[in-house]
Amino acid sequence: MATITLDTVRKVYAGNVEAVKGVSIDIADGEFIVLVGPSGCGKSTLLRMVAGLEEITTGDIRIGERVVNNIDPADRDIAMVFQNYALYPHMSVYNNLAYGLKNRGMNKAEIDRRVKEAAGILEIGEYLDRKPRALSGGQRQRVAMGRAIVREPAAFLFDEPLSNLDAKLRVQMRVEIKRLQRALGTTSVYVTHDQLEAMTLADRLVVLNGGNIEQIGAPIEVYDNPASTFVASFIGSPAMNLLEVKANGGGLELVSGTGLSGANVKGRDGYTVGIRPEHMEVVDGAAAGEGITLEVTVNVLEPVGAESFIYASFEEGGPEIVVRVSSHAVHPAGEKLTLKVAPEHVHYFDAETGRRID
Amino acid sequence: MWRACPGNRKARHVVRGEAMKKVQFNTPAVPYLLLFPQLAIVAVFFLWPAAEAVRSSFYLEDPFGFGSTFVGFDNFVDTVTSTNYGRVARFTGVFTFLVTILSLGAALLLAVKADKVLRGASSYKTLLMWVYAVAPPVAGLIGILLFDQHVGPIVKFVALLGWHLQIGVDYYDTAFAMIVASVWKQIPVNFIFFLSGLQSISKSVQEAASIDCRSGFRRFWTVTFPLLAPTGFFLLIINITYAMFDTFGIIDVVLKTEPGNNPVTLVYKVYLDGFRGNDLGGSSAQSVLLMIVVFILTIIQFRLIERRVHYT
């Protein structure tokens, strides 16, 4: 159990490629932190620096009170779960779990107790004599988890551990990882590019983009108040609708000239307006009340079972927006719709920097 | 190399778990036609000479080619009971053991080090592989130059340490020169295989090991080395065959075709007895014995490689 502190950590690769540009995060003891972002955002590099598999160019990483910059991975008291499991192919499952403990000179009885206990928790007891190649993907994943658990480390580091599993197993293992982490109370850093995984697992999300932190916060906080257009479009599925608008007298209008009645003008020339698909309501005619009213034409209705999504645009060939409606709504292509958005559900971003304007 | 190749191909199939591609031919003659060149080569360059060797091992040939007499197993009895044959067989054993161990060991060390080189890795590796392109007699010649009695740098160097090397005169000094030249010639082949073996070990497995184990030395013996074992075993067989059979050129150049009392291997003795001593029958008997050795080695290789665990 330990806190992990990253203090303006930078990583510059040969050829002056800056992968991580001065990231600072304070991770509390027992917290589950998820680093999320598109590929190339520096999230894996950051995790590998915590593990000690990558050199830190500048800045400090502390695990507990100790600065670990120059400490060997084996001495950092961390355990890592790799994307491709990285099990030792020539060792039995038992020895895969026991290897790290043996190397620390732990006595056999204690090793046996820990391995059996972890195998019990993960339900891999009956495979202990098998070699990894005789296991399925899900079982290998459990062995990889077991190898992390037996060490009883100060922190778990997960590097996209579920991305090699099929969709069904992924959901199952996601739930299990969360349950396990809650039960053990071990500080965890988890890297993923999957925003759903990030939302469901994290105590706090760290959204990374191009080596910088875009936003840190609880998942629902990030979802409700995205700090930038990047976060707005990355977190949530389908993504938030982002519309480029410009000021026109007292109101706003789309770049194409279509007016947005009821928009709240904030004294600038250009904005990006963000509206989540679930926050638009189909209304009859120009209904009263505050908020933005949008006039659109339906392009496609996409039923997904529990709900349906309408893809609609303001004018032919113009920007398309996604609207979430109930699963039984019927809206044929070509139908004109009026959509209403409550003012508290309209997000404003600076057109130039993409940062949120409150 | 030729002898071990089929085993290698087999091993690769096991590793990747590939299914053989099946092709159907309309006429049954086509596959035989396609196989014909290979079969012809095997027949002309292997089966026929081998059969000829087996036949003449049972005959006493007249040295001037006037006739031959059937002598049954006499040639084999003479060969096996001669003290000289025992001496040569023992030397071949020691020679093979040392050449195999030293060339594998040196190549593994170089490969492990080369695997860690980050800057200029490719030119470094190319330099190490260069020797591979040198023909065995040329390797022997370079060896001769290095071990030359008057100008050889190795001779001069060990003389500083008080060892006066006399190649071609002293039995052990000559053996030493042969072993050094043979090892030097074989290192690049082993190096290439070991290096590709090392590079096929998953990087994340090595990283997982670095989290699990502090000592790099221990990590090498518990993770890297076992994962290299299939490569190592394959190379072991290759190297034994190399040391026993393919060092002929090096030995010939070191001895300058004047064997005298100097060490020779069994293969070289076949040549000496047959073509210098004109004892074709005895020489054939020896080569039949060697064929049996190759046969046994091949069986061991096939059986063990098949049983051997291959990691995916």
Side-chain angles (χ1 to χ4, degrees), chain A residues 158-338:
Chain A
F158 297 92
D159 191 3
E160 310 220 13
L162 304 182
S163 53
N164 281 2
L165 298 177
D166 61 58
K168 195 177 158 202
L169 259 177
R170 201 179 309 156
V171 174
Q172 192 187 334
M173 284 305 292
R174 192 173 76 202
V175 175
E176 234 170 285
I177 288 179
K178 180 146 188 169
R179 186 174 54 76
L180 207 61
Q181 197 270 344
R182 289 279 179 280
L184 299 170
T186 309
T187 313
S188 300
V189 184
Y190 188 108
V191 160
T192 182
H193 63 270
D194 180 340
Q195 59 89 22
L196 185 65
E197 226 170 273
M199 289 287 290
T200 51
L201 284 171
D203 288 330
R204 273 196 303 160
L205 276 181
V206 178
V207 185
L208 288 161
N209 182 26
N212 285 312
I213 294 181
E214 287 277 335
Q215 189 170 10
I216 305 183
I220 202 66
E221 210 178 289
V222 173
Y223 186 82
D224 286 345
N225 299 298
S228 64
T229 49
F230 175 81
V231 179
S233 59
F234 195 79
I235 302 292
S237 175
M240 183 184 277
N241 297 298
L242 294 171
L243 304 169
E244 305 254 326
V245 296
K246 55 187 181 190
N248 179 20
L252 286 176
E253 63 179 31
L254 291 173
V255 177
S256 62
T258 311
L260 290 183
S261 62
N264 194 359
V265 180
K266 309 232 174 180
R268 294 188 191 207
D269 291 337
Y271 302 98
T272 303
V273 167
I275 306 164
R276 293 231 177 255
E278 67 269 30
H279 291 147
M280 284 179 276
E281 196 188 344
V282 180
V283 292
D284 289 331
E290 269 189 282
I292 296 183
T293 308
L294 303 167
E295 306 284 346
V296 294
T297 310
V298 176
N299 295 335
V300 180
L301 178 76
E302 199 180 66
V304 293
E307 60 212 3
S308 293
F309 295 104
I310 296 171
Y311 292 80
S313 49
F314 298 97
E315 66 266 319
E316 193 100 5
E320 201 171 51
I321 61 166
V322 185
V323 184
R324 199 183 82 169
V325 291
S326 85
S327 58
H328 298 289
V330 179
H331 297 287
E335 187 188 337
K336 306 263 184 217
L337 290 180
T338 305

Side-chain angles (χ1 to χ4, degrees), chain A residues 48 75 88 90 99 103, chain B residues 204 207 211-212 214 218 222:
Chain A
R48 291 166 57 80
D75 294 329
Y88 308 119
H90 58 299
Y99 180 67
N103 290 325
Chain B
S204 58
E207 285 174 348
I211 291 175
D212 272 345
R214 179 179 309 121
R218 205 182 141 78
T222 51

Side-chain angles (χ1 to χ4, degrees), chain A residues 48 53 72-75 78 80 82 84 86-91 99-100 103 133 147 151, chain B residues 202-205 207-214 218-219 222-223 226-227 309-312:
Chain A
R48 291 166 57 80
L53 301 173
D72 235 38
D75 294 329
I78 46 105
M80 186 151 166
F82 291 83
N84 58 4
L87 301 177
Y88 308 119
H90 58 299
M91 295 184 196
Y99 180 67
N103 290 325
R133 78 197 135 84
R147 189 167 65 181
R151 301 194 45 175
Chain B
S202 147
K203 198 163 178 290
S204 58
V205 167
E207 285 174 348
S210 75
I211 291 175
D212 272 345
C213 182
R214 179 179 309 121
R218 205 182 141 78
R219 225 156 45 218
T222 51
V223 175
L227 293 179
V309 181
H310 284 277
Y311 311 115
T312 49

